[in-house]
Amino acid sequence: MNYSDYLASTTWFELRWMCMMRDSLTCRVCGDKAAEVHHVAYPGSLEDDCLANVISLCSPCHRKLHHVQ
């Protein structure tokens, strides 16, 4: 499975939901309402992805982490 397919999968949907619930829908950087989930480090294998490797972010903070204006 490639990364794009993974992001469309039930596995990613469930992990993303668990992350947002763990973080109370709050951006871990600025405290605003979170809308996105960010990988702290991209997993070597998608099967190794886990809750400890993702954080909830608002869109502006996510863009800053990826250096996108």
Side-chain angles (χ1 to χ4, degrees):
M1 175 182 310
N2 66 38
Y3 191 66
S4 294
D5 291 338
Y6 175 66
L7 293 181
S9 73
T10 302
T11 301
W12 171 246
F13 178 83
E14 291 173 355
L15 181 62
R16 184 181 183 282
W17 178 253
M18 288 187 297
C19 177
M20 296 288 261
M21 292 300 96
R22 179 199 63 203
D23 296 339
S24 302
L25 300 172
T26 302
C27 177
R28 297 273 298 268
V29 174
C30 73
D32 283 348
K33 183 175 172 134
E36 301 175 13
V37 172
H38 173 74
H39 279 98
V40 175
Y42 289 99
S45 169
L46 296 176
E47 292 80 28
D48 295 334
D49 207 4
C50 65
L51 189 57
N53 188 40
V54 290
I55 59 172
S56 299
L57 297 174
C58 65
S59 295
C61 286
H62 200 187
R63 285 193 305 270
K64 286 178 191 174
L65 282 175
H66 285 284
H67 307 289
V68 177
Q69 295 297 330

